[in-house]
Structures are given as C-alpha cells and as structure tokens.
Amino acid sequence: MALAFDHVIHYVDDAHTLKDRFINKGFHTVYGGRHEKRGSYNTLLHFGMEYIEFLSIDDRALFDKVGAQDVAYSPFSSIVRDEFTEGFAKICLRTWDLNKLAQTFKQKGLNVNGPVPLSRKRPDGKLLEWSLLFVGEEGSELPLPFFIDWHETDQERLNELKEAQVVAPHSAGQWKIDSFLMAVHDAKQTAFKWAEWFDLEHKGSIYDPRLNADIYTLQLPGGNLKFAQPKGQGPVNEFLEQRGERPFQLMLTGSGQTELFTIHGGHYVFNGGETHA
C-alpha cells in the first residue's frame, strides 16, 4: 500500500487563538473553514503538502447531536473519549483507493469503518470534498491513524493550496515535518505491529536522553512515525501516566531557530539543525 504522512490533528478549545500564536512565531497559518454538519472548524499550518490541523468545536449542541456520534475510531470519537482534553488527537495518512485499503485492513484483523465522504467550505466559498477511512484494534489504548483520499494527485492539490494561499513561505524559515512520536508502554511491539499493518519499513531503535526513552522508528514519506518507551522518569513517562498511550510530539526540521515548547497540550520540537531522536 502507498501511504504518506498527511497531517496531525491538534484539538484545542479555540483554533483561532492557536493560529495567532503561530503567526506571531513567524508561521503562515490560515483559517481552514467549517465542518458545517458537525459543529466544528479548523485553522491550518502547512509545510508543503503536510500540515497541522488545529481543530475546535464552535457549536457544542450540534456536535453533541451529530459530531459526537461519529463513526468509531474517527478523530471526533477520539476527542470525546479524551473528554475534550487539548492536545494531539490523531494522525492522518494520505493514500488512494480506500475501498481496497479497507479490505486489506479487514484481512489483517483490524476493525474498519468507512470509507466516509466528507466536506467543508473554504473561506473563499469553495467546497472541498474528500473521503476518510477509520481503523482500530480491539482493546488498543493507542489511537491508530486514519486515512484520507483527496480525490486528486498530490501536485494538483499542492497547486490549489498555493493558489488559495493556504501554502505560502514562513518568515520563521524553511521547515518540514520530520516525524511524529507516540508515547507507548512497549515501543518495539507497537512499532512491529504498525509496520505489519501498514507495510512500513522498520528503521531500528535508539535511546533519546532528553526524553529518557527508547525510540523505535518506521519510515514514512512526509514524516516518519516514532514510538517512545520510557526508561524511567522523564517527559514520556509523565505523559503516559497522565494521558495513557497517545500521540505525543511533533518534530520539524528546517533553517530556522531551534525551539522546544508545549502549547495547548501539544509538544513541539523545531529542530534548526541539531540532531534529535
């Protein structure tokens, strides 16, 4: 199967506030639009094709009636399960032919919902349409990725994003998503399961002294997937005790200033040339 990192959802109470915070840091961040039928909206921070979606709920009554009843393993269901706690909710992988992918995942023993057609209206009035596929493992604590088919080629989509000024240069420097890290109790076992499910190459493990954790890596175009298992006290161990197995940290590499920060429950590493796990 051909997969690529597409985006990560950072759930926040007010996505406009987070958009402004990143604009103040020198990042081109825009209002994405509303999910009219679910009572939610987003703002977007793109690094080429890959991006961060800051997702918020602005109509709780509609969300409780419709959005909260979304299909199992969706980002909205994860947000409800996490009791609307701010932070990273889910990662999304880009692909095509979701019907074929659904059959593959069923054969591998995963629970499958979809494909589901979705849409939202951009501020310029254009209606964007795409399809999503949601998967999960029975009894798993860690949310699995969901999958998106944009119904167009990467180049067509990138051209449209640039034309709409959703993708534009950042005054903070040239950046790209390097990897996304998940906090887990058994990094080796989790990495090998994801490698088998999603046909990804295992890159091995290293020790990260800053996190005091063993890191296992799977190679993925657009941004590698990493799994951190704590060796003792440290950021990963603290996060696991508070939240359980969850998406934990987004790392970006580029020409700008190196910075580590936590904002609205999301842990970010902007690596301006140094080497991190």
Side-chain angles (χ1 to χ4, degrees):
M1 64 188 76
L3 302 175
F5 187 97
D6 192 74
H7 68 279
V8 57
I9 293 179
H10 183 169
Y11 172 74
V12 291
D13 293 334
D14 186 343
H16 292 298
T17 296
L18 203 50
K19 172 177 69 70
D20 293 340
R21 292 282 296 275
F22 274 92
I23 288 175
N24 291 337
K25 286 179 173 291
F27 293 95
H28 179 75
T29 313
V30 301
Y31 173 57
R34 295 196 76 251
H35 306 101
E36 299 285 351
K37 297 180 180 180
R38 283 175 166 74
S40 61
Y41 71 96
N42 62 26
T43 58
L44 308 171
L45 171 51
H46 269 261
F47 303 93
M49 288 290 296
E50 295 73 41
Y51 66 101
I52 308 166
E53 176 182 1
F54 305 119
L55 177 66
S56 294
I57 296 164
D58 62 353
D59 188 336
R60 184 60 183 270
L62 177 59
F63 181 83
D64 288 343
K65 181 180 179 180
V66 180
Q69 309 303 319
D70 210 345
V71 295
Y73 309 119
S74 75
F76 292 111
S77 65
S78 293
I79 289 167
V80 172
R81 188 184 72 168
D82 286 345
E83 298 180 337
F84 302 92
T85 302
E86 290 187 313
F88 295 123
K90 279 249 189 185
I91 57 172
C92 179
L93 307 186
R94 187 170 63 252
T95 187
W96 56 87
D97 198 349
L98 294 182
N99 287 305
K100 181 178 179 180
L101 199 62
Q103 292 302 315
T104 298
F105 289 147
K106 288 177 182 178
Q107 292 170 3
K108 292 186 176 187
L110 292 175
N111 296 328
V112 176
N113 276 309
V116 178
L118 289 175
S119 66
R120 68 173 166 84
K121 187 174 291 186
R122 251 181 11 200
D124 62 7
K126 180 176 180 178
L127 183 67
L128 301 179
E129 297 180 284
W130 63 93
S131 296
L132 298 179
L133 180 69
F134 310 111
V135 300
E137 180 190 23
E138 194 71 35
S140 174
E141 186 180 356
L142 179 66
L144 269 62
F146 66 106
F147 302 85
I148 191 164
D149 183 350
W150 289 104
H151 303 308
E152 57 186 356
T153 67
D154 284 358
Q155 192 59 55
E156 289 171 340
R157 175 164 162 74
L158 184 59
N159 291 341
E160 290 182 2
L161 291 170
K162 288 181 176 180
E163 183 179 352
Q165 288 295 298
V166 175
V167 172
H170 302 292
S171 61
Q174 297 182 351
W175 293 94
K176 67 177 183 178
I177 291 178
D178 173 85
S179 57
F180 194 87
L181 184 146
M182 279 139 300
V184 297
H185 296 294
D186 189 331
K188 182 178 181 179
Q189 180 188 52
T190 306
F192 273 89
K193 285 199 300 185
W194 283 44
E196 193 279 327
W197 288 335
F198 309 133
D199 291 341
L200 300 178
E201 182 180 349
H202 193 281
K203 196 178 177 181
S205 66
I206 63 171
Y207 172 71
D208 184 337
R210 180 178 63 82
L211 296 176
N212 190 21
D214 288 330
I215 310 296
Y216 287 77
T217 300
L218 299 180
Q219 292 183 303
L220 179 71
N224 290 337
L225 302 181
K226 298 189 175 186
F227 305 87
Q229 177 181 336
K231 300 285 285 185
Q233 294 302 312
V236 176
N237 185 71
E238 181 180 352
F239 184 82
L240 275 172
E241 289 179 347
Q242 293 176 352
R243 299 288 309 279
E245 293 192 332
R246 291 289 185 281
F248 173 67
Q249 177 182 273
L250 179 66
M251 176 182 285
L252 301 101
T253 56
S255 59
Q257 181 180 355
T258 294
E259 186 177 6
L260 287 72
F261 61 90
T262 298
I263 185 169
H264 291 270
H267 300 273
Y268 289 86
V269 177
F270 283 82
N271 180 5
E274 300 169 9
T275 300
H276 295 281

